[in-house]
Amino acid sequence: MTHDEATAAAARLNAEHPERDEFRWGAREDSSGEWSVARVRLPKATGPGRLTAEEQGKQETPPDDRPLDLPGGVPPWAAGG
């Protein structure tokens, strides 16, 4: 199997495999230079403080309350140093 074949097979497994919520697949080269597909179990995202990927995408960015200008109307990046 070539690198491109292993990468394509891993992408297909990550998109279509019934256990894709529990595992990820990736291309792997062994010590002899042969390529294969490796499967890795994902850690469970449970417990306090652990967010799923879907929940992480729903987080809002807090508003930036910093003033836009320094005294005298000079923007912070123009103050020099």
Side-chain angles (χ1 to χ4, degrees):
M1 181 178 279
T2 67
H3 175 263
D4 291 340
E5 292 169 337
T7 301
R12 187 174 53 257
L13 289 166
N14 285 324
E16 300 172 0
H17 197 280
E19 296 178 317
R20 64 186 174 271
D21 293 337
E22 296 178 46
F23 298 97
R24 286 294 178 265
W25 289 264
R28 175 186 174 276
E29 183 179 23
D30 66 19
S31 60
S32 68
E34 293 292 318
W35 286 92
S36 62
V37 177
R39 180 180 80 166
V40 178
R41 182 179 295 274
L42 295 174
K44 297 285 183 192
T46 59
R50 300 291 304 262
L51 299 177
T52 65
E54 184 177 296
E55 291 169 332
Q56 287 176 359
K58 292 180 181 177
Q59 290 182 343
E60 293 184 22
T61 304
D64 188 355
D65 295 333
R66 296 177 292 182
L68 296 178
D69 293 327
L70 293 174
V74 179
W77 59 86

